Amino acid sequence: MIMKKVLLGAIALALTSSVMAQETLKIITWKGYAPKALVKEFEKETGIKVKVTYSNNEEMVAKLRATRGAGFDLAQPSQDRITAVQKKYKIYQPIDYGKVKTDQLITSMLDAVKKNTGVDGKGYGVPHVYGTTGMIVNKKNAPDAKDWSDLWNPKYKGKISYRLKRPLLIATAFGMGEDPFALYGDKAAYQKLIDKVEKKLIETKPLVKNYWTSGDTQVEIIKSGDADVISGWDAKGWSVHKTNPDIDFIAPKSGALGWIDTFAIPAKAKNIEGAYKWINFMMRPKNGAAITNASNYGTASKGAPEFLDAAIKADFERSFTKEDIDNIKWHPPVPDGFEAIEAKALDRIKSAK
Amino acid sequence: MSMERKGFNVTFYLLIIPVLLWLFILIVLPHIDLFVSSFQVEADDGKKVFSFDNYLAFFKQQIYWLTFVKTAAYAIGVTILAFVITFPIAFYLTKVTSKKNASFLILLLLIPLWVGELVTVYGWMVLLGDHGIINHLLMSVGIIDKPMNMLYTNFSMIIGLLYMSMLFMVVPVMSTLESLDDSLIEAASDLGASKFTIFRRIIIPYAMPGIVSGAIIVFMLVIGDYLAPNILGGKSSLWFTEQIYNQFLQTFNWNQGAAFGFLLLMLSSGIIWVALKLSGQKLDKVGS
Amino acid sequence: MGNILEVKNVSKYFGDFTAVKDVDFVVEEGGFFSILGSSGCGKTTLLRMIAGFQHESEGDILIRGKSMKGIPPEKRPVNIVFQTLALFPMMNVYENVAFGLQRKKMSKPEIEALVNEMLSRVGLNGFETKNVTELSGGQRQRVAIARSLVMKPEILLLDEPLGALDRKLREHMKVELKLLQKEIGTTFIYITHDQSEALVMSDKIAVMHQGVFEQIATPRDLYRNPKTAFVAGFVGDSNRFEITQSNAEQLITEGGWKINKAHEGAKLLFIRPEALILNPSKGGENIETFSVTIKTILFDGSNTKLSTTVDDSSSGEELLISLPQNAEFENLKEGDSILVGIHKDDLKSY
């Protein structure tokens, strides 16, 4: 049955691709980063047909690695996930910043991304969308939950949930008063810190209701009332807040974790010119704002704020004070081999009683 | 005559070659590639070298083999449960109820297959949650005053696994029971056997080939499942498939992931082999 | 000897359909009792009610004077040999025969002794460890009977057990079954649609038709004196004539053939081919004579028959006559006219 589907699909694909001589742009990206309306507008403006594949950081790397950087013209990995992968598998090509309309971008963010995605003096990323991982809290049931450390506060026993992935290990380290990013240059010290984090999370595992696994399960567990204090993404927290005002996103005291998703061009991209056209199109103030208005994620488009909805601004201001913004911990690039350390710790935590 | 035969052969090969080609390219080739890479590790200079380390890691590191043992134990448990639950159903459908009723009820049993595993998994979340339908009902009737913790436990995981795999036990068991002559049951009863004895000595031995083939399918489905343990399973439900997934997608260690994949294949085949030996069944008989 | 089984006015309804209607009979201890009838006549339903697999709608069944109402099959002192034999395919010969004894919680040596004795009685020693699927039809038959007999039932019920065998083997098993029954003395109730089986083996036969017992009699009696037209037509071969007129002296057939038998109101006349006498010595007091013309000779060895037409019948009604294979009739040929006689008692009219 599956074979049959695969066969049919392959035949259909072969037929359609031979029929279409039209210029295409293949993008692998996150949900919400290439909304239909913008795709249509871009197609009309340039005559380039856009094909979008939805994915996440892990799959993006896996797919590009399997084809050694072919099959897509544009990818959108997080900025901290580029250098280590690039050094090892060479799946991207350097960005020609001369072709990017850099005047549309927030300068500080562009500089940071250039630096963080740098390999051998060349940058591999252009900032697109950013956001933070913090906590989503039911303020009626847990008015005092303020920091990462509340994820192991016995007060909320059975009402705690988080996603058991690497950001949580980082968050736990911050919650314990450590600075994991400062140890990125020292593998042995980092291993020690992760051991400590692992011990903490195993000890406090009985307090946890469940580990959520995706954007949807994250919303589900707090919305249903199964949990009151969870780790979560700002945009998700704000979207739940709209239907249940008791629930909101908060920036933890010891620092929300900031991420920036970028544009990166795969090594064997076929339509490189089209990719740059897409980048410049998406970063127009109006288009940058459109994504933020639809998804609540922040944009690196400099002129976007004047097109933003008032509610979006309100969301941001409710969750972030000036202090909180300064305290955002932006993910630096992950050094090679660190993910293996973290994965083992995550396995042991998950399998612990 | 010989011409005709030859013509038939040519058409036959014309039809079969693309299929074999696709099978080879899409299924055999990637497996060979994975098999080779499962014997490679990355040296310090980034080159691939031959090694058994990926396989040895499984046995050396407790976390890996323990996870497999746990996964296999759950899979065996779910298989037994699936048998215990579905055997009376299969018996009822083939021997007790009318043919018309039976086909309607079988249709109902098929529903989980129609909607897909992800949807049924979310369905169970809605049913079993602390503020879910079952807790709500029980509390409003007054049987309990605090929500029972059902979701994100081994209980909900087993329910999810059972629900998606049950049908694969029902169908083969039903097909063997259908060929069971009712007079065998009557003869046993005539010779003084109780209902329990008839079940144990006549019906179950007769249905054994169906039970074993159903058990193999259920066992394989459960041990290779990813969704139910991951979403319904709760915080300690580390499944072996999740470790394979993690090797590929979290740590980018494809070699280790490939080795785990083949270990899963070999070890679960080994368990089935042992089970066949213990139950005295032969694979060719079970398969027919 | 007393009656081991009493069936008292038993009826069985399936919705509107009456399968068994007001059947009433007794079976003597140690007897071989057959129920003969075509398929669908209700004989299997009756047997299953005696075994306890079905429950009578009306009436009662008593075994040794004890009502069987509410007693499940496994508690009744009867055992059944099924039409399909229903041997357990997952067990060997020994296990099949021992199955019932094991349910009685007997000790192993006891079971072994009984099983071995029964197997040697049916001539199956040495087959103990054979799988039942490896046996021939006759051997399977014997396993099925042994499996039931080893339980020492008060009554053994047999549901057309010879049906699946080929003709030769069936003839052989008929005799064997009869001898076995004589030897062990268990009461057999045997149902069949094959009259030859019933006639050869039984002490008593009940003929069943549309849920009703037409007649219960010894095989000889049944053959000689069928009580109803159905029995006369069903048991043995018969020439059948429609009677259109009857008076105090004669019966007149459709074709105008006049027969000197007094039976006013008779509708049917049956004459067995073997009851007819060729070239009878004239003047026998109770012998009715008439002439027929030979149409054809149906040669079948000992079963050879003459197909003739009755000369007195205007429509040329047909009459089959058994032809003894001896020198006297060697020269008969088609077209010959011949005198035929019949004893008045052999004219069966209804």
Side-chain angles (χ1 to χ4, degrees):
Chain A
M1 202 47 210
I2 291 167
M3 257 324 281
K4 207 166 142 192
K5 273 190 194 158
V6 169
L7 275 173
L8 284 174
I11 292 165
L13 206 71
L15 284 175
T16 45
S17 59
S18 65
V19 166
M20 283 194 313
Q22 203 185 354
E23 187 181 352
T24 57
L25 179 69
K26 291 183 194 159
I27 304 175
I28 182 163
T29 185
W30 303 73
K31 259 187 188 155
Y33 283 16
K36 262 205 182 109
L38 290 185
V39 168
K40 279 226 173 94
E41 201 183 319
F42 178 78
E43 285 176 344
K44 215 169 126 195
E45 194 177 301
T46 61
I48 299 172
K49 175 108 184 97
V50 178
K51 278 194 190 157
V52 181
T53 305
Y54 295 120
S55 187
N56 59 41
N57 267 326
E58 287 80 15
E59 278 178 24
M60 242 179 256
V61 175
K63 278 193 173 142
L64 290 173
R65 192 186 149 189
T67 59
R68 294 177 181 83
F72 295 98
D73 301 311
L74 191 62
Q76 297 217 255
S78 295
Q79 56 130 357
D80 55 314
R81 299 295 192 102
I82 294 179
T83 48
V85 172
Q86 177 59 18
K87 274 183 199 154
K88 237 173 150 176
Y89 309 124
K90 316 232 177 323
I91 55 176
Y92 300 115
Q93 54 182 283
I95 296 286
D96 181 352
Y97 289 98
K99 288 184 179 169
V100 179
K101 287 186 186 162
T102 47
D103 56 330
Q104 290 184 5
L105 302 169
I106 297 171
T107 318
S108 63
M109 208 172 276
L110 175 66
D111 290 344
V113 166
K114 246 190 214 174
K115 194 181 123 227
N116 285 338
T117 62
V119 177
D120 300 333
K122 285 173 190 151
Y124 282 80
V126 177
H128 177 211
V129 162
Y130 70 92
T132 60
T133 303
M135 286 155 69
I136 303 175
V137 172
N138 187 323
K139 289 193 164 161
K140 208 171 96 191
N141 299 339
D144 301 330
K146 292 274 189 287
D147 190 26
W148 293 120
S149 57
D150 286 310
L151 289 176
W152 55 88
N153 187 340
K155 238 166 87 179
Y156 308 120
K157 185 175 194 305
K159 289 290 179 186
I160 294 164
S161 176
Y162 41 76
R163 179 179 182 228
L164 193 64
K165 294 285 169 195
R166 72 176 303 269
L168 196 270
L169 299 178
I170 307 283
T172 306
F174 279 117
M176 293 167 79
E178 305 276 352
D179 183 356
F181 295 156
L183 301 177
Y184 267 19
D186 184 346
K187 202 168 175 179
Y190 190 74
Q191 174 76 62
K192 252 192 183 160
L193 173 62
I194 293 298
D195 288 346
K196 224 171 108 186
V197 166
E198 178 190 324
K199 213 176 134 217
K200 178 61 132 192
L201 291 175
I202 289 176
E203 269 171 22
T204 59
K205 191 171 172 180
L207 305 175
V208 179
K209 172 80 183 172
N210 190 33
Y211 303 131
W212 57 262
T213 52
S214 68
D216 293 336
T217 48
Q218 157 191 177
V219 167
E220 173 64 29
I221 199 164
I222 189 120
K223 226 176 163 176
S224 66
D226 287 350
D228 290 332
V229 181
I230 70 170
S231 74
W233 305 331
D234 45 15
K236 291 287 177 195
W238 290 328
S239 78
V240 179
H241 181 77
K242 275 184 203 132
T243 54
N244 183 350
D246 290 337
I247 298 170
D248 204 357
F249 176 84
I250 62 161
K253 267 236 188 66
S254 51
L257 304 177
W259 48 263
I260 303 172
D261 286 342
T262 67
F263 294 109
I265 301 180
K268 292 180 184 164
K270 283 201 183 115
N271 192 352
I272 297 169
E273 288 314 306
Y276 284 111
K277 274 185 198 162
W278 175 261
I279 294 171
N280 290 331
F281 173 81
M282 288 305 285
M283 296 320 288
R284 286 177 196 164
K286 222 176 135 189
N287 296 345
I291 291 202
T292 303
N293 285 336
S295 66
N296 263 332
Y297 296 125
T299 175
S301 172
K302 197 191 269 173
E306 69 170 292
F307 297 102
L308 286 182
D309 296 345
I312 302 282
K313 280 186 201 157
D315 278 338
F316 193 80
E317 280 159 13
R318 210 174 52 245
S319 297
F320 288 95
T321 63
K322 176 81 184 57
E323 240 177 3
D324 289 331
I325 296 172
D326 292 341
N327 199 23
I328 292 175
K329 316 287 186 191
W330 298 99
H331 282 285
V334 186
D336 184 29
F338 275 42
E339 273 153 331
I341 296 175
E342 292 157 356
K344 285 213 175 105
L346 291 170
D347 274 354
R348 281 190 291 265
I349 298 166
K350 176 107 196 235
S351 65
K353 282 280 160 237
Chain B
M1 197 53 200
S2 66
M3 279 302 285
E4 263 181 73
R5 215 191 144 83
K6 207 172 165 191
F8 164 77
N9 277 346
V10 170
T11 335
F12 176 73
Y13 284 121
L14 274 177
L15 285 170
I16 196 79
I17 280 176
V19 175
L20 288 178
L21 217 63
W22 276 112
L23 273 175
F24 183 74
I25 292 171
L26 289 174
I27 295 185
V28 179
L29 220 54
H31 275 81
I32 292 174
D33 190 43
L34 275 183
F35 189 69
V36 170
S37 76
S38 74
F39 285 103
Q40 290 174 334
V41 292
E42 216 162 279
D44 289 335
D45 57 1
K47 289 226 175 74
K48 305 271 185 191
V49 292
F50 178 83
S51 163
F52 287 111
D53 284 359
N54 296 320
Y55 288 92
L56 289 177
F58 174 83
F59 297 100
K60 275 189 198 151
Q61 305 218 16
Q62 197 203 26
I63 180 92
Y64 296 143
W65 63 258
L66 204 62
T67 304
F68 179 81
V69 168
K70 210 187 90 176
T71 308
Y74 270 101
I76 291 168
V78 169
T79 307
I80 292 168
L81 269 177
F83 165 69
V84 170
I85 293 170
T86 59
F87 197 82
I89 297 175
F91 188 79
Y92 177 83
L93 288 175
T94 43
K95 293 289 166 202
V96 182
T97 191
S98 70
K99 276 263 177 315
K100 209 174 116 195
N101 275 345
S103 42
F104 174 70
L105 290 171
I106 291 165
L107 220 61
L108 285 187
L109 278 176
L110 281 170
I111 287 178
L113 281 193
W114 289 347
V115 295
E117 196 192 349
L118 192 63
V119 177
T120 56
V121 160
Y122 272 86
W124 282 113
M125 286 173 73
V126 172
L127 274 175
L128 297 174
D130 282 2
H131 298 80
I133 294 169
I134 291 177
N135 269 319
H136 181 78
L137 273 177
L138 290 178
M139 286 202 307
S140 61
V141 174
I143 296 172
I144 50 171
D145 52 0
K146 241 177 27 196
M148 275 194 301
N149 187 18
M150 293 182 289
L151 187 59
Y152 310 127
T153 60
N154 286 334
F155 169 75
S156 58
M157 175 179 78
I158 287 170
I159 292 254
L161 290 169
L162 268 177
Y163 192 63
M164 64 134 200
S165 61
M166 246 169 27
L167 193 75
F168 296 92
M169 181 67 94
V170 174
V171 172
V173 170
M174 274 181 65
S175 71
T176 49
L177 283 181
E178 248 154 30
S179 68
L180 171 68
D181 183 359
D182 288 353
S183 61
L184 285 187
I185 297 169
E186 289 182 348
S189 153
D190 184 62
L191 292 168
S194 64
K195 292 213 158 59
F196 175 74
T197 308
I198 296 174
F199 242 75
R200 196 175 56 88
R201 291 289 308 273
I202 310 292
I203 298 174
I204 289 184
Y206 190 89
M208 209 51 181
I211 295 168
V212 171
S213 62
I216 291 175
I217 303 172
V218 170
F219 176 75
M220 281 310 221
L221 274 177
V222 170
I223 207 170
D225 192 39
Y226 181 75
L227 271 176
N230 212 358
I231 299 183
L232 292 175
K235 49 194 182 178
S236 298
S237 67
L238 185 58
W239 218 242
F240 195 63
T241 45
E242 196 177 335
Q243 277 187 336
I244 297 177
Y245 181 92
N246 287 347
Q247 290 300 337
F248 275 98
L249 292 172
Q250 302 283 302
T251 54
F252 309 123
N253 191 344
W254 287 20
N255 310 94
Q256 186 69 69
F260 281 2
F262 280 98
L263 278 165
L264 176 64
L265 182 67
M266 289 185 288
L267 290 173
S268 48
S269 305
I271 291 171
I272 287 169
W273 183 79
V274 169
L276 281 173
K277 284 280 150 205
L278 287 179
S279 68
Q281 295 288 319
K282 290 202 172 62
L283 196 62
D284 52 344
K285 210 172 145 196
V286 167
S288 64
Chain C
M1 275 193 264
N3 293 330
I4 194 159
L5 174 74
E6 292 169 68
V7 172
K8 288 189 167 168
N9 303 94
V10 164
S11 295
K12 174 72 184 175
Y13 310 111
F14 295 106
D16 290 340
F17 177 70
T18 306
V20 174
K21 194 180 169 195
D22 202 23
V23 163
D24 194 275
F25 66 100
V26 296
V27 175
E28 272 180 21
E29 180 152 14
F32 195 125
F33 188 92
S34 289
I35 301 170
L36 175 64
S38 46
S39 64
C41 73
K43 59 188 192 298
T44 300
T45 308
L46 181 58
L47 193 79
R48 290 171 62 81
M49 285 194 283
I50 298 169
F53 294 120
Q54 260 154 8
H55 304 292
E56 52 276 17
S57 311
E58 282 164 20
D60 199 3
I61 292 169
L62 290 84
I63 295 174
R64 280 204 194 286
K66 192 175 162 237
S67 170
M68 288 292 117
K69 275 230 155 70
I71 297 179
E74 63 266 30
K75 300 262 167 66
R76 296 193 181 196
V78 300
N79 284 103
I80 186 164
V81 177
F82 288 86
Q83 191 166 10
T84 56
L85 303 184
L87 297 181
F88 303 133
M90 64 293 280
M91 302 178 197
N92 63 28
V93 170
Y94 181 90
E95 289 165 333
N96 261 281
V97 178
F99 184 85
L101 299 176
Q102 287 163 352
R103 306 282 79 74
K104 284 185 172 173
K105 305 255 183 301
M106 287 177 149
S107 73
K108 266 202 170 153
E110 261 181 295
I111 292 176
E112 207 177 316
L114 284 169
V115 171
N116 286 336
E117 188 205 328
M118 187 49 70
L119 284 179
S120 64
R121 185 162 254 172
V122 297
L124 282 175
N125 338 51
F127 285 84
E128 287 86 351
T129 55
K130 276 241 159 114
N131 199 302
V132 291
T133 50
E134 299 167 41
L135 301 181
S136 71
Q139 288 166 338
R140 289 163 59 82
Q141 190 76 56
R142 282 181 237 166
V143 175
I145 290 165
R147 186 178 70 176
S148 293
L149 278 182
V150 80
M151 300 295 289
K152 299 209 172 14
E154 301 275 8
I155 305 169
L156 182 68
L157 307 171
L158 301 105
D159 183 2
E160 305 211 31
L162 304 185
L165 302 182
D166 61 63
R167 219 181 91 95
K168 257 266 165 68
L169 191 57
R170 199 158 58 217
E171 294 299 320
H172 175 73
M173 286 303 293
K174 264 196 262 187
V175 180
E176 199 170 290
L177 209 54
K178 173 75 186 167
L179 291 175
L180 185 69
Q181 193 266 335
K182 273 241 159 88
E183 188 187 326
I184 57 171
T186 305
T187 309
F188 277 30
I189 295 182
Y190 187 98
I191 73 171
T192 181
H193 66 274
D194 183 322
Q195 47 171 297
S196 151
E197 281 177 22
L199 292 172
V200 168
M201 293 190 281
S202 315
D203 298 325
K204 271 221 173 124
I205 299 172
V207 178
M208 198 171 183
H209 180 52
Q210 294 183 342
V212 177
F213 271 12
E214 295 270 337
Q215 184 176 4
I216 305 173
T218 62
R220 196 185 162 79
D221 216 20
L222 200 66
Y223 178 78
R224 295 287 306 153
N225 300 308
K227 236 163 70 184
T228 66
F230 174 79
V231 177
F234 190 71
V235 179
D237 295 327
S238 272
N239 293 290
R240 181 173 177 275
F241 297 93
E242 306 260 351
I243 306 298
T244 48
Q245 289 176 56
S246 59
N247 54 40
E249 282 141 32
Q250 283 185 316
L251 302 172
I252 303 168
T253 68
E254 269 181 313
W257 179 28
K258 297 187 180 67
I259 303 136
N260 293 322
K261 187 185 179 192
H263 184 171
E264 267 186 282
K267 290 274 177 286
L268 289 167
L269 174 70
F270 291 91
I271 300 170
R272 294 204 188 279
E274 55 273 28
L276 291 156
I277 310 157
L278 291 171
N279 289 332
S281 46
K282 290 221 173 181
E285 195 168 310
N286 276 324
I287 306 280
E288 178 81 2
T289 59
F290 51 94
S291 68
V292 297
T293 306
I294 299 173
K295 253 189 357 186
T296 178
I297 299 168
L298 306 165
F299 184 78
D300 186 14
S302 64
N303 201 19
T304 300
K305 289 197 173 67
L306 291 175
S307 170
T308 68
T309 53
V310 178
D311 291 346
D312 290 344
S313 167
S314 59
S315 62
E317 279 161 299
E318 204 179 306
L319 186 69
L320 279 176
I321 303 167
S322 282
L323 181 64
Q325 290 300 297
N326 55 42
E328 189 184 346
F329 302 113
E330 218 166 297
N331 297 322
L332 285 179
K333 56 182 190 299
E334 287 174 24
D336 287 356
S337 189
I338 185 171
L339 194 67
V340 175
I342 184 157
H343 199 282
K344 281 213 171 115
D345 286 351
D346 287 334
L347 291 165
K348 305 290 181 193
S349 55
Y350 300 92

